[in-house]
Amino acid sequence: MPVEAFTTQPCHDVSTVLSSVTEEFDYLNDSVQEFNQNILIGRSKEIRVLRDTYQKVETERSFESVFVHGVSGSGKTSLVLAIREEVFQNNGIFCTGKYFQNSGLGQEPYSAIMAAFSDLCDLTIQSDACNTAQRKAIQECLGSDGQLLVNSVTNISPFLDYEPHSGIKHESAIAKFRAACKIFLRTMASFKEHPLVIFLDDIQWMDKDSKELVKAFLQDTEMKNLILILAYRDEDDEEIEEIKNIFPKKNELFITDISLDNLEQEDVLDLVKKQLPDSSDKIRELSKLVFRKTQGNPFHVLQFISTLQRDGLLKRCDDSWVFDIDHIQCDMMVSDSVAALLSRKVQCCDRETTEMLKVASLLGYNFPSEVLIEVVLPALNSEASVREKKTAECVQSLLKKSVDSQFLEETQHGYQFSHDKIQATFVSLMDKIEKKRFHFAIGRSFLARSTDASILQAAVHLNRAGEAHVISAKDKVELADINLKASKYCECRSAFSDSASFLRKGWAVLDEKSKWSEHFALAFDLVESLARMEFINGDLDACRVANKEVLYRAKSIDMKIKPFILEIDALVAANDGVKIITVSRKMLKELGFSIPRTISTLRLLIKLKGVRRLLAKTTDEDILGLSGANDPKLCTAVNIMVRLGSFAFSKQNVNLRVYLALLVTELTINCGLSPYSCIGLGLLGVTELLLGNEEKGIRLGELALKLVSQVSCSKEAKCFFISRLSSSLLYFKSRLRRLLGMYDASFYASIEIGDISSASLSALTGFYLVLFTGGNLKALERSINTVYCRIGDFRQDVFLLPLKPVQQLVINMLTRTDDWESLTVLT
């Protein structure tokens, strides 16, 4: 996609009008006064509610959420920011994040939440109370979960002291990230002496992943010492309905609702007096007119009086203001909408400023000036030697004057629009063709920067440019590759919905006829990644459709290895028993291993006899000393057998389970160790115990346990073995107290990889061991509460059900009463 595709298009004679950029704005006048946008009038009741909420959390160290809503311009942001200084003066911490309109996939994943988290890290580090001991305590509470936030919260490193995560199960990836965010917020809030305030603004524009994360925050009953303030517009019924879906449906006791209406007439009078200090009675007349025109909308009021002053209908004369009410009524024949006033204001802009701000509006609510300059650059026709310098000077001059006219505000990282309505006004000035042309230029500018974040923005803008600029086959292939890179960027930040969206766009842009024949590697990577993202997002049907395409197109068995495992996992998640067995047999056959359709008792006994002979002539040291299996097909086959065997174990399919355990054990001895060998040996050990062969069963159990401690054993296999098989195999010879540490470690390892089923079973076994061995009941109660909290973070309550009986038992044993009706679970 050559950049000339943009430069050859006319752009309302930008090159001509920019030649006069150094001239003054016609509409600017030194006498024009800047009005204070942050004055709060008529909001004393709402301010008091916020203060009372803060005092409540200060006293009770509780968790409160506050919803602030109203129409655009009602002063939601100003209201919340009014208490920020009070929070800081009280040695509290106030962190903010904001979502933006029309950004779509252009926003950084979880942008507002991660901005608030970054603020939190900075302010905590700067705090005098944050000493080395506290940082160490925070590190211990976060554990390895903090590593999941490294890519999103760049300044979190001072609070991390653990190796990165590895091997998180696909189906738990989203839940694991949300749990990590909750633990981070919960931990940081708990270490604050005063309440932590998190303010997320304009949540009506949240992305899908952010909505689910905020919902997880609101439903967290373990959160303490925190005020979460969420501001949104209640103008669009569809957006309101989506926002209400994140509200907790049961526990609404900690929710405070603040609805901002327009100001009353007396409040408008006070606001006008604040902006136009004048003691004359004529100000009251003016305020009545302003109220009629604006209906008391604070932002609209400010825009209205600003328009009056700019149009010469309101002038400062000595210590008073001069205006003619009749003249104003005749001249201001506009609707009572902010958009109408802003359009009137924009129409007074000179042409070059309008062109620049139109481009800026497509860059987003906030933007770096460097990109804006690069986009305007191709439109100039001056000499190459002076073009860049002249353009930079022109644009910087326009930016400064746009700030003076209150269209823009200067920020630490560039510029932002003074209000999203102003941004929307400039966007509305462009037709579809002009928007696409500018999007294309912006996308190319970001692409030239070659950073990961720039690739994300490049993908967004080039996708919006569409087919009008992405024409040739080469252009389409390039855009598909850019979308693939953008999806990986989002995946690294656990924004799996956005990642899937980019993959779909990349897949769609490739030419249907040539994508497999001429661009096989790119097409395969796109559809393989899409299948994985759909699985993570929980769309199992879409996952299987994409994975079917992957398996069909794969050119070798090696390319099918990961898709094979994904297919099995998708079927297990769907609990489709018939297909699991059928598909697993088919896959194993492709890998060179056949499983009989019917496993008779005679066939099973023959296999058992052969494996027993093999074990009899092989010592434990020989097995432990085996090298790892080098054949990836063999390791994949063992993996599939173990997953199928585990499914058969849960469904009481004894013959299939035993046959697979025998086959895995045979392959382990003959071909070498695989990451899942311990499960095969464990399943066979349980079988021997059931057959009455205690000595053989215990040998296999102890051997499997030794394999678990080896590096070659996968963490998933370790957790599965300890949580499901070890109790049956080890109770006969092991001291029960010595097993407690193993189950505790298995619980935390299972939580780390997102295997909630194994975590629940490991914790349950450990709890009963404490009871059987006479452990401290108070300590056990605390452990149960911790486990409830950690598993509850994943919002998979079904795995809490096995823990309820032991929890009830401990509560009953600790409660001194003969009244059975009072012995109820307290959670």
Side-chain angles (χ1 to χ4, degrees):
M1 287 178 282
V3 74
E4 288 76 11
F6 171 68
T7 60
T8 56
Q9 299 290 335
C11 186
H12 294 288
D13 297 322
V14 174
S15 59
T16 301
V17 296
L18 281 179
S19 63
S20 61
V21 70
T22 55
E23 298 178 5
E24 296 294 327
F25 286 100
D26 293 332
Y27 66 91
L28 283 178
N29 189 299
D30 291 339
S31 64
V32 174
Q33 174 177 317
E34 288 190 14
F35 296 112
N36 189 342
Q37 304 279 337
N38 297 316
I39 290 179
L40 275 180
I41 299 293
R43 302 302 189 199
S44 56
K45 177 183 176 183
E46 290 80 4
I47 287 287
R48 187 164 57 251
V49 171
L50 289 175
R51 287 172 178 160
D52 290 346
T53 301
Y54 186 87
Q55 288 301 321
K56 178 182 178 183
V57 176
E58 176 92 77
T59 304
E60 302 176 3
R61 292 188 68 81
S62 57
F63 170 42
E64 294 285 327
S65 59
V66 181
F67 292 89
V68 181
H69 55 96
V71 299
S72 174
S74 57
K76 301 177 293 296
T77 304
S78 298
L79 172 70
V80 178
L81 294 182
I83 69 163
R84 179 168 57 181
E85 284 305 315
E86 297 180 29
V87 172
F88 285 141
Q89 289 171 8
N90 194 46
N91 295 320
I93 289 184
F94 189 106
C95 306
T96 62
K98 177 180 173 65
Y99 290 97
F100 304 116
Q101 187 180 21
N102 297 324
S103 292
L105 293 177
Q107 298 188 94
E108 282 284 318
Y110 307 100
S111 57
I113 298 171
M114 295 308 148
F117 281 7
S118 294
D119 271 358
L120 177 55
C121 290
D122 285 338
L123 293 170
T124 301
I125 293 169
Q126 296 167 12
S127 171
D128 295 334
C130 185
N131 52 37
T132 304
Q134 189 185 51
R135 289 192 194 184
K136 189 67 177 177
I138 292 174
Q139 287 173 354
E140 291 176 358
C141 288
L142 288 177
S144 58
D145 291 312
Q147 288 290 345
L148 294 174
L149 304 178
V150 165
N151 290 324
S152 301
V153 187
T154 53
N155 51 355
I156 198 176
S157 55
F159 304 103
L160 304 182
D161 192 29
Y162 289 84
E163 292 297 318
H165 271 277
S166 59
I168 296 176
K169 298 186 73 173
H170 290 327
E171 61 267 35
S172 298
I174 294 178
K176 182 63 180 171
F177 177 77
R178 291 173 189 157
C181 289
K182 288 197 292 183
I183 290 170
F184 171 76
L185 191 54
R186 192 187 298 153
T187 301
M188 299 298 279
S190 67
F191 278 92
K192 306 300 177 190
E193 182 180 355
H194 301 282
L196 167 63
V197 181
I198 301 289
F199 172 39
L200 302 180
D201 199 4
D202 283 328
I203 65 169
Q204 73 274 5
W205 294 322
M206 278 193 300
D207 56 277
K208 180 180 177 181
D209 289 319
S210 290
K211 287 177 183 175
E212 292 302 319
L213 183 53
V214 169
K215 186 175 181 178
F217 290 157
L218 294 173
Q219 294 176 339
D220 188 359
T221 57
E222 299 298 320
M223 203 77 77
K224 306 294 181 186
N225 202 37
L226 173 69
I227 303 173
L228 180 61
I229 304 177
L230 306 172
Y232 66 93
R233 294 179 183 176
D234 50 12
E235 298 170 337
D236 188 298
D237 292 339
E238 186 175 339
E239 288 178 347
I240 294 172
E241 193 61 35
E242 288 185 13
I243 291 171
K244 286 184 176 179
N245 287 334
I246 73 173
F247 294 178
K249 298 192 184 311
K250 295 182 180 179
N251 184 13
E252 298 185 349
L253 298 178
F254 59 97
I255 292 179
T256 301
D257 185 82
I258 299 177
S259 178
L260 294 184
D261 297 321
N262 285 338
L263 300 177
E264 298 293 335
Q265 185 168 325
E266 286 302 311
D267 295 327
V268 172
L269 173 61
D270 290 341
L271 180 56
V272 172
K273 283 183 176 180
K274 286 282 187 181
Q275 301 290 355
L276 307 174
D278 193 323
S279 58
S280 67
D281 292 337
K282 290 185 67 176
I283 287 295
R284 180 175 290 275
E285 290 185 58
L286 177 62
S287 71
K288 290 180 179 179
L289 173 62
V290 172
F291 180 76
R292 287 200 304 273
K293 287 290 186 180
T294 65
Q295 300 301 308
N297 182 285
F299 180 71
H300 199 170
V301 168
L302 296 176
Q303 291 299 315
F304 189 86
I305 60 177
S306 177
T307 302
L308 293 180
Q309 188 183 18
R310 187 188 61 247
D311 292 353
L313 300 173
L314 177 67
K315 297 179 181 180
R316 182 77 173 174
C317 182
D318 296 329
D319 293 332
S320 61
W321 291 88
V322 178
F323 52 87
D324 186 322
I325 294 294
D326 294 333
H327 190 184
I328 292 174
Q329 287 178 325
C330 293
D331 193 79
M332 297 295 288
M333 298 299 291
V334 295
S335 67
D336 293 331
S337 69
V338 177
L341 285 176
L342 290 175
S343 296
R344 184 185 178 102
K345 183 176 180 180
V346 168
Q347 288 169 7
C348 295
C349 286
D350 57 9
R351 196 170 183 181
E352 58 266 31
T353 305
T354 301
E355 295 301 327
M356 182 203 68
L357 291 176
K358 280 159 61 175
V359 176
S361 69
L362 295 180
L363 277 169
Y365 180 80
N366 49 15
F367 55 89
S369 59
E370 295 84 2
V371 176
L372 184 61
I373 293 171
E374 290 178 10
V375 173
V376 173
L377 177 62
L380 297 178
N381 294 319
S382 56
E383 294 293 328
S385 59
V386 297
R387 180 173 55 185
E388 183 176 356
K389 181 179 179 181
K390 183 178 179 182
T391 304
E393 290 175 350
C394 292
V395 177
Q396 291 293 355
S397 177
L398 292 174
L399 287 169
K400 183 179 182 303
K401 292 177 181 179
S402 297
V403 171
D404 292 339
S405 59
Q406 297 185 337
F407 286 121
L408 298 178
E409 297 172 354
E410 196 163 1
T411 66
Q412 183 179 356
H413 303 292
Y415 293 86
Q416 68 180 29
F417 283 90
S418 301
H419 197 277
D420 53 75
K421 287 290 187 182
I422 295 175
Q423 178 195 3
T425 299
F426 282 102
V427 171
S428 68
L429 297 178
M430 294 173 281
D431 58 27
K432 290 183 179 180
I433 296 175
E434 189 176 11
K435 286 179 185 177
K436 289 183 177 182
R437 186 166 67 247
F438 280 133
H439 276 307
F440 179 77
I442 293 170
R444 297 304 300 180
S445 178
F446 275 117
L447 190 60
R449 293 173 174 266
S450 300
T451 64
D452 290 341
S454 295
I455 289 293
L456 174 72
Q457 296 299 326
V460 170
H461 288 285
L462 292 174
N463 285 334
R464 289 174 180 172
E467 298 179 357
H469 298 280
V470 184
I471 301 172
S472 69
K474 182 181 178 182
D475 293 345
K476 293 178 180 180
V477 171
E478 183 186 22
L479 182 54
D481 185 58
I482 292 169
N483 275 288
L484 177 61
K485 292 175 180 176
S487 77
K488 293 183 183 299
Y489 179 86
C490 293
E491 182 184 355
C492 288
R493 285 150 182 80
S494 300
F496 302 111
S497 295
D498 286 354
S499 179
S501 295
F502 281 116
L503 290 168
R504 292 188 203 103
K505 290 179 183 296
W507 177 251
V509 79
L510 285 177
D511 183 69
E512 191 67 33
K513 295 181 180 178
S514 63
K515 59 185 173 186
W516 288 113
S517 59
E518 299 179 19
H519 312 289
F520 178 86
L522 176 59
F524 190 85
D525 204 355
L526 280 167
V527 72
E528 183 183 41
S529 299
L530 180 59
R532 185 162 42 83
M533 287 302 105
E534 297 290 20
F535 180 75
I536 291 175
N537 288 319
D539 192 339
L540 299 180
D541 291 335
C543 166
R544 294 202 63 206
V545 169
N547 207 44
K548 183 178 180 180
E549 182 78 5
V550 173
L551 292 170
Y552 175 72
R553 298 291 182 177
K555 294 181 176 180
S556 66
I557 286 294
D558 290 342
M559 296 179 73
K560 292 184 176 183
I561 287 176
K562 289 182 180 179
F564 276 163
I565 301 301
L566 182 60
E567 185 75 7
I568 298 297
D569 286 343
L571 290 171
V572 170
N575 199 29
D576 194 337
V578 176
K579 283 188 177 179
I580 290 173
I581 296 174
T582 303
V583 172
S584 296
R585 281 199 175 103
K586 181 180 178 181
M587 291 177 177
L588 288 170
K589 187 175 181 180
E590 284 195 57
L591 291 166
F593 303 90
S594 60
I595 304 294
R597 288 189 174 276
T598 303
I599 302 174
S600 63
T601 304
L602 179 60
R603 182 190 291 271
L604 204 57
L605 290 173
I606 293 173
K607 192 71 171 178
L608 176 61
K609 187 176 181 179
V611 172
R612 280 177 173 174
R613 280 200 304 267
L614 195 59
L615 284 168
K617 63 181 183 181
T618 308
T619 65
D620 290 357
E621 289 72 21
D622 290 337
I623 295 176
L624 293 172
L626 290 172
S627 59
N630 295 321
D631 186 359
K633 291 188 290 186
L634 173 64
C635 292
T636 303
V638 171
N639 191 345
I640 292 174
M641 291 177 195
V642 165
R643 289 170 189 268
L644 183 57
S646 302
F647 181 80
F649 182 80
S650 65
K651 297 299 181 181
Q652 303 298 314
N653 190 332
V654 178
N655 282 13
L656 179 59
R657 182 194 75 200
V658 173
Y659 187 88
L660 290 169
L662 291 168
L663 188 54
V664 170
T665 303
E666 185 180 49
L667 289 172
T668 297
I669 296 173
N670 291 332
C671 303
L673 298 173
S674 77
Y676 294 87
S677 292
C678 64
I679 295 181
L681 292 171
L683 286 171
L684 183 56
V686 171
T687 301
E688 292 287 13
L689 288 176
L690 292 174
L691 293 173
N693 299 313
E694 182 179 316
E695 184 177 347
K696 289 185 174 69
I698 292 175
R699 178 204 171 187
L700 289 168
E702 292 179 336
L703 184 57
L705 187 61
K706 291 175 182 177
L707 287 177
V708 163
S709 63
Q710 293 190 358
V711 177
S712 60
C713 182
S714 76
K715 189 171 288 188
E716 182 183 0
K718 292 178 184 179
C719 295
F720 182 92
F721 172 78
I722 292 173
S723 64
R724 293 168 176 81
L725 304 176
S726 61
S727 58
S728 303
L729 297 165
L730 304 177
Y731 282 177
F732 291 92
K733 292 186 65 176
S734 300
R735 291 179 178 269
L736 297 184
R737 278 193 175 276
R738 292 180 180 177
L739 299 177
L740 286 174
M742 179 181 73
Y743 286 107
D744 189 56
S746 175
F747 168 75
Y748 284 104
S750 300
I751 288 290
E752 183 176 337
I753 65 172
D755 188 349
I756 311 305
S757 175
S758 293
S760 176
L761 292 173
S762 295
L764 180 64
T765 307
F767 293 157
Y768 278 117
L769 283 179
V770 173
L771 284 173
F772 295 160
T773 56
N776 184 286
L777 291 178
K778 278 290 185 184
L780 178 57
E781 184 182 35
R782 289 194 295 272
S783 296
I784 292 174
N785 291 336
T786 299
V787 167
Y788 254 79
C789 178
R790 294 305 300 270
I791 294 179
D793 283 338
F794 289 82
R795 308 307 304 170
Q796 298 183 35
D797 293 346
V798 65
F799 295 112
L800 292 173
L801 294 178
L803 304 176
K804 287 189 178 293
V806 67
Q807 182 191 39
Q808 182 69 71
L809 178 60
V810 171
I811 290 175
N812 292 354
M813 294 172 71
L814 286 171
T815 303
R816 296 182 178 181
T817 179
D818 295 328
D819 182 7
W820 66 270
E821 291 183 350
S822 67
L823 299 177
T824 57
V825 176
L826 303 179
T827 59

